[in-house]
Amino acid sequence: MRIIVGITGGIAAYKAPELVRQLKKRGHEVRCAATAHALEFVTRPTLETVSEAPLYCDLFAGNAHGTEHISLKDWAELLVVAPATANIIGKAASGIADDALSTLLLAMAPERVLLAPAMNSQMWAHPAVQRNLQQLKAWGMRTVGPAEGALACGTNGPGRMAEPTEIADAVANGERKAVGGKWLVTAGPTYEKIDSVRFIGNYSSGKMGFALAEALAEAGADVELVSGPTHLTVSHPRIRRTDVESAREMYAAATALWPTCQGAILSAAVADYRPATQADHKLKKQGSDGMTLELVQNPDILATLGSSKQTGQRLVGFALETNDELQNAEKKLQRKNLDYIVLNSLRDAGAGFGVDTNKVTILSADGSRTESPLMSKREIARLIVQEVT
Ligand code: CTP
């Protein structure tokens, strides 16, 4: 593979020549790009000697038009930024290109970037850094590390750059985290029949569930998509689609598939109730006194899968809450025996039913929380898949 190792200004830059050496040993062609600060930690002759190529660190040197970042981007199959400081992570998440390496980073497709973050633990824990990383991952960038251990600043904690061998392994592992096995996804609304021409439905478009199915398939999983009525289409060959209409049909399809699946993400907006009787003909108006429709409860698909979950199976639900959101989502996570619950925020403009964007908080059974920025449903889906698989 043709790889650019991008080095930024952190103490771990001293390990960059070793990474270059290991990548070359594994048969890769390597070039280096560095920021001015990186060259405070590691020298140009070292990097040029180990890579056997000129170093790229000045937008205009050797190329009066300043277009080397474009030719390098076309040359490289992968850009590994090691170490990646909080600064370069912040710049990449904001699209800032103010030197040779950040300009190259902006020119590269995110799926062709691997970041090896390295910084002090407190910087690592800062919400700005975490938010920026979530954004970069959602765009398709991969990360490796950081590890926990003694840091150059004299403290202990997460922030150490992954070892060169581990970074070289992550390069070999190719794409983003691969997902194996078969995954079940439910999507869209359900229609609960009143008579031959009327139903009770909801505004769910199915976009979130379809994006999840695509993201899982892209990551390598075989996907069983059980969908309520929607106009959406699927494009990935590893997605098998079963169309259903009512909650009971969705229940039958999902419970039959569940024992064969590694995991399930239930994003469908399932009607909690259905009419007690369903007429085969069109009901006629009766008098002028109004009408009462008797409703009975539908089975809870998510809770049923939760109660029959086997060791090793992962179950992910969605929650749409309007008050005490986190508390209610946590209760639901426990009650339905889930591993993760994705909380949709209805309070944010641009999140929720029908629209192309969403903003979520992913809560895990072990108590951790990941908050996403407002992103496209496609990006949210990738983030969810990376978190829950
Ligand atoms: N769900 C399901 N089957 C149902 C109802 C809900 O599989 N009959 C799933 C949804 O796909 C989603 C999650 O459960 O993953 C949403 O659960 P919840 O918000 O509990 O739905 P409600 O049952 O409507 O919850 P509430 O008690 O807040 O009304």
Side-chain angles (χ1 to χ4, degrees):
M1 206 188 314
R2 288 185 304 275
I3 301 173
I4 298 171
V5 174
I7 304 132
T8 63
I11 179 65
Y14 83 89
K15 294 182 183 169
E18 175 58 21
L19 171 64
V20 174
R21 214 182 56 84
Q22 288 205 22
L23 291 171
K24 299 264 297 182
K25 242 169 106 180
R26 295 187 189 200
H28 300 294
E29 228 180 301
V30 183
R31 293 195 57 177
C32 292
T35 62
H37 285 154
L39 296 181
E40 300 283 329
F41 295 96
V42 61
T43 69
R44 173 190 283 270
T46 309
L47 295 172
E48 293 193 335
T49 305
V50 288
S51 66
E52 300 175 282
L55 175 73
Y56 177 56
C57 64
D58 184 335
L59 265 171
F60 297 100
N63 178 341
H65 308 295
T67 55
E68 202 176 350
H69 60 288
I70 299 301
S71 48
L72 270 177
K73 175 259 309 176
D74 291 337
W75 175 85
E77 292 163 84
L78 185 71
L79 168 60
V80 182
V81 185
T85 54
N87 184 46
I88 195 80
I89 290 168
K91 281 193 206 174
S94 316
I96 294 172
D98 62 356
D99 64 4
L101 180 56
S102 54
T103 308
L104 174 62
L105 191 49
L106 192 62
M108 292 289 291
E111 306 84 55
R112 292 201 281 146
V113 175
L114 174 66
L115 303 171
M119 67 198 73
N120 158 274
S121 310
Q122 258 166 308
M123 292 169 77
W124 171 251
H126 196 286
V129 172
Q130 291 304 318
R131 181 203 60 193
N132 291 338
L133 270 172
Q134 295 303 346
Q135 177 63 75
L136 296 175
K137 283 197 223 171
W139 285 335
M141 286 192 195
R142 289 190 296 137
T143 59
V144 51
E148 261 189 56
L151 302 175
C153 51
T155 55
N156 247 292
R160 264 171 86 111
M161 187 175 83
E163 289 304 319
T165 315
E166 203 187 326
I167 301 173
D169 287 346
V171 167
N173 288 342
E175 289 298 284
R176 270 163 282 140
K177 186 163 88 182
V179 182
K182 200 185 335 171
W183 278 71
L184 166 69
V185 176
T186 66
T190 62
Y191 284 2
E192 307 301 323
K193 190 173 164 184
I194 299 170
D195 66 14
S196 58
V197 295
R198 303 178 181 97
F199 61 84
I200 299 174
N202 61 64
Y203 289 119
S204 167
S205 61
K207 283 178 183 163
M208 194 63 243
F210 276 59
L212 283 163
E214 296 280 350
L216 280 164
E218 261 174 27
D222 289 315
V223 182
E224 293 283 357
L225 173 64
V226 178
S227 174
T230 143
H231 297 298
L232 302 175
T233 52
V234 287
S235 54
H236 203 289
R238 266 198 301 273
I239 302 176
R240 198 177 76 98
R241 174 175 180 172
T242 307
D243 286 313
V244 297
E245 198 171 283
S246 67
R248 282 193 296 177
E249 284 168 18
M250 189 174 276
Y251 176 88
T255 50
L257 287 164
W258 178 229
T260 67
C261 293
Q262 184 98 24
I265 308 182
L266 303 200
S267 69
V270 185
D272 288 328
Y273 299 95
R274 66 175 182 279
T277 54
Q278 281 134 29
D280 285 333
H281 56 278
K282 179 170 174 264
L283 293 173
K284 297 296 283 179
K285 267 195 295 293
Q286 284 169 2
S288 55
D289 290 345
M291 138 173 211
T292 304
L293 204 55
E294 193 194 339
L295 300 178
V296 293
Q297 200 157 13
N298 273 325
D300 189 323
I301 306 165
L302 187 58
T304 307
L305 301 197
S307 64
S308 62
K309 191 170 72 175
Q310 302 293 314
T311 320
Q313 278 187 313
R314 294 264 172 104
L315 185 58
V316 185
F318 270 71
L320 196 66
E321 306 288 344
T322 47
N323 44 323
D324 297 331
E325 294 160 300
L326 285 168
Q327 248 180 329
N328 281 333
E330 254 158 26
K331 274 192 216 150
K332 211 164 272 183
L333 175 98
Q334 283 170 13
R335 196 174 66 237
K336 300 196 186 189
N337 194 24
L338 311 181
D339 298 287
Y340 294 89
I341 193 153
V342 181
L343 174 63
N344 267 299
S345 182
L346 269 189
R347 294 182 186 199
D348 296 282
F353 278 7
V355 292
D356 287 322
T357 49
N358 206 358
K359 185 171 188 296
V360 299
T361 307
I362 306 169
L363 310 177
S364 87
D366 69 18
S368 68
R369 281 182 198 174
T370 303
E371 250 179 74
S372 79
L374 185 69
M375 297 193 285
S376 74
K377 286 186 174 167
R378 202 183 146 87
E379 289 165 351
I380 296 265
R382 281 197 190 139
L383 182 64
I384 293 172
V385 167
Q386 290 296 297
E387 288 292 322
V388 308
T389 54

